[in-house]
Amino acid sequence: MIPKFRIHGDGAELVPYTVPELFFFAGGRTLCFDAAREGDAIGHWHDEIELLYVTEGSMVYNVNGTRCTVHEGEGIFINTRQLHFFEESRCTYRCVLLHPMMLCANTYLEETYITPVTKNAAFPCCILKPEKGKSGGALALIGALFDEADKHNLLRLQSLSYAVWDEIYRLAPKPENTVSESSRLSAVKNMMHAIHSGYAEKLTLEEIAGAGHVCKSACEKLFHTYLHCTPVEYLQRFRLQKAAERLCKTETPVAQIALDCGFSGASYFTGCFKKIYGCTPKAYRSSRKNTKA
């Protein structure tokens, strides 16, 4: 899918567009794993809307703390800047991300059709089902967008993007006053960003909570609500995911990677790594090299 955690200054994920002229990404993948082992269990958000279509199997997607099950033949729309991640997933899927700015041809379109959806706190996500007259049209268009992405026909991609947005616009509920929920989500994002930017250093629960301007107990509660784990568990997962990336991409010694990723030593790092990934860091590096070969 998308390389994880290249981030903007505000902590949002920096998406590597496959069609940069239109701020557009398309990708597909087969998932058959415990999400924690692959790093997809790490929560993230981005400025782009996400459209995902499950072609085989099923997946559980967590959006702002709510578990959404997407079955074969269904899809999901995730609005801009929503906190999300995979949970249990055994499926093959197609995914399209597009930045709202590609739809803002003029101020009227932006204010009338784009912003009312992207700023609608009552519409963080929506399951797309194949029933006619409901969200079936959006599902067909996701497939069309995915198929057209490699052809690099920008006019066709732009046209299809407007067509799928028309479907999404029709599904959006009337905006509601959910300021308190949005402020909690903002606090979680700030605390996650503190972890993403400071994982290599010694981080305390008090420091993480401080980034969200909440007390330690509120910090614990917010992480459980939105990420289904403790702040310390999230920090550990993120450190392990960054270490796994470096094991694949560099020849840096395991002991140095452990220290660079915030672990106190190589032996402790190896034990933590094996619990999640099912093998030692050296074995993981070797297996990934063999896969690439």
Side-chain angles (χ1 to χ4, degrees), residues 236-253:
Q236 181 104 309
R237 288 181 192 172
F238 190 77
R239 283 172 168 166
L240 288 169
Q241 199 247 329
K242 297 303 289 186
E245 288 178 5
R246 292 193 60 186
L247 286 167
C248 292
K249 297 177 181 178
T250 74
E251 296 297 329
T252 306

Side-chain angles (χ1 to χ4, degrees), residues 53-54 70-75 127-140:
Y53 177 36
V54 176
V70 188
H71 299 286
E72 183 172 323
E74 297 179 348
I127 298 293
L128 305 174
K129 295 183 179 292
E131 291 92 342
K132 292 182 179 179
K134 294 185 179 180
S135 52
L139 285 172

Side-chain angles (χ1 to χ4, degrees), residues 39 72 147 151 194:
E72 183 172 323
D147 291 337
K151 299 176 183 177

Side-chain angles (χ1 to χ4, degrees), residues 22 49 72 82 93 109 116 143 164 171-172 175 200 210 235 240 247 261:
L22 293 181
I49 67 160
E72 183 172 323
Q82 304 303 307
Y93 69 86
L109 285 177
V164 76
L171 293 171
L235 171 60
L240 288 169
L247 286 167
C261 292

Side-chain angles (χ1 to χ4, degrees), residues 77-215:
F77 159 78
I78 301 175
N79 213 339
T80 178
R81 301 188 70 80
Q82 304 303 307
L83 177 58
H84 58 282
F85 58 95
F86 291 127
E87 290 194 19
E88 307 94 19
S89 300
R90 283 167 176 65
C91 69
T92 300
Y93 69 86
R94 291 178 164 188
C95 181
V96 169
L97 285 83
L98 59 93
H99 200 291
M101 74 172 67
M102 76 177 288
L103 303 170
C104 299
N106 56 50
T107 303
Y108 177 79
L109 285 177
E110 180 179 2
E111 294 179 351
T112 307
Y113 296 106
I114 311 305
T115 302
V117 175
T118 60
K119 299 297 184 182
N120 188 344
F123 195 43
C125 65
C126 177
I127 298 293
L128 305 174
K129 295 183 179 292
E131 291 92 342
K132 292 182 179 179
K134 294 185 179 180
S135 52
L139 285 172
L141 288 164
I142 294 171
L145 276 168
F146 186 89
D147 291 337
E148 286 290 333
D150 288 338
K151 299 176 183 177
H152 217 71
N153 184 333
L154 301 190
L155 185 60
R156 176 65 173 158
L157 276 177
Q158 185 81 36
S159 173
L160 287 169
S161 297
Y162 274 116
V164 76
W165 191 259
D166 179 51
E167 298 285 340
I168 297 300
Y169 178 81
R170 295 168 189 271
L171 293 171
K174 292 182 179 180
E176 297 177 1
N177 182 12
T178 55
V179 175
S180 60
E181 180 172 324
S182 295
S183 65
R184 293 197 298 272
L185 180 57
S186 179
V188 173
K189 287 180 176 180
N190 288 337
M191 291 185 286
M192 289 172 63
H193 182 42
I195 289 172
H196 296 170
S197 58
Y199 70 93
E201 308 298 328
K202 183 178 180 181
L203 276 178
T204 66
L205 177 59
E206 186 174 11
E207 289 171 330
I208 295 171
H213 304 289
V214 297
C215 65

